[in-house]
Amino acid sequence: MHKPTTPYGRFHLALPVIDLDETLTFYTNIIGCPQGRRDARWVDLDFFGHQLVLHQVNPEDHPTMATNQVDDHAVPAGHFGPILEWEAFEGLASRFKNHGVEFIIEPYLRFEGKRGEQATMFVRDPSHNYLEFKAFKDIDML
């Protein structure tokens, strides 16, 4: 099985957003991402050690999201997110609840007692981009 490298490579993701300020508030105030450079229609964020760039687009230019059935959940086909330490996952789930963030899929344990056991949850940012957050008690099961 391939294991993640340490130190790990960083990714860069440019994400279309409809309301730059509202979406920026979600990522900085709720998730806790530090802000980097900013221009009138984009902003850089430190997303768990990765570069996330929010690019403002017109609402009609924002892609729609299809879903696939996974574990009796309609999982958004287009989504992204970090793999967190277990405690960080639990803390972020609590932050989402405390801020009234609607879960697309509530936090739950997948593959319980099996290879690949993981905690997962899905939320949507204010611009309708879907995020999945995961945690493994045994990271070798990634």
Side-chain angles (χ1 to χ4, degrees), residues 64-82:
T64 59
M65 297 292 175
T67 62
N68 286 318
Q69 209 58 28
V70 179
D71 293 343
D72 297 322
H73 297 281
V75 172
H79 66 270
F80 72 101

Side-chain angles (χ1 to χ4, degrees), residues 10-104:
R10 306 293 199 263
F11 73 78
H12 160 85
L13 176 65
L15 197 62
V17 301
I18 298 166
D19 184 318
L20 186 59
D21 291 327
E22 181 182 25
T23 306
L24 177 61
T25 297
F26 174 82
Y27 283 93
T28 57
N29 292 358
I30 296 175
I31 295 179
C33 298
Q35 181 180 323
R37 297 168 296 178
R38 180 171 183 165
D39 198 23
R41 294 185 56 89
W42 60 264
V43 62
D44 288 336
L45 298 172
D46 177 341
F47 186 76
F48 300 93
H50 304 281
Q51 184 187 40
L52 178 63
V53 185
L54 307 179
H55 281 275
Q56 186 169 351
V57 299
N58 294 325
E60 63 273 11
D61 295 328
H62 195 279
T64 59
M65 297 292 175
T67 62
N68 286 318
Q69 209 58 28
V70 179
D71 293 343
D72 297 322
H73 297 281
V75 172
H79 66 270
F80 72 101
I83 297 168
L84 305 173
E85 298 293 328
W86 199 267
E87 295 77 21
F89 176 90
E90 291 175 334
L92 187 57
S94 292
R95 283 183 75 164
F96 286 150
K97 289 175 186 173
N98 292 340
H99 281 89
V101 173
E102 177 186 355
F103 288 99
I104 302 306

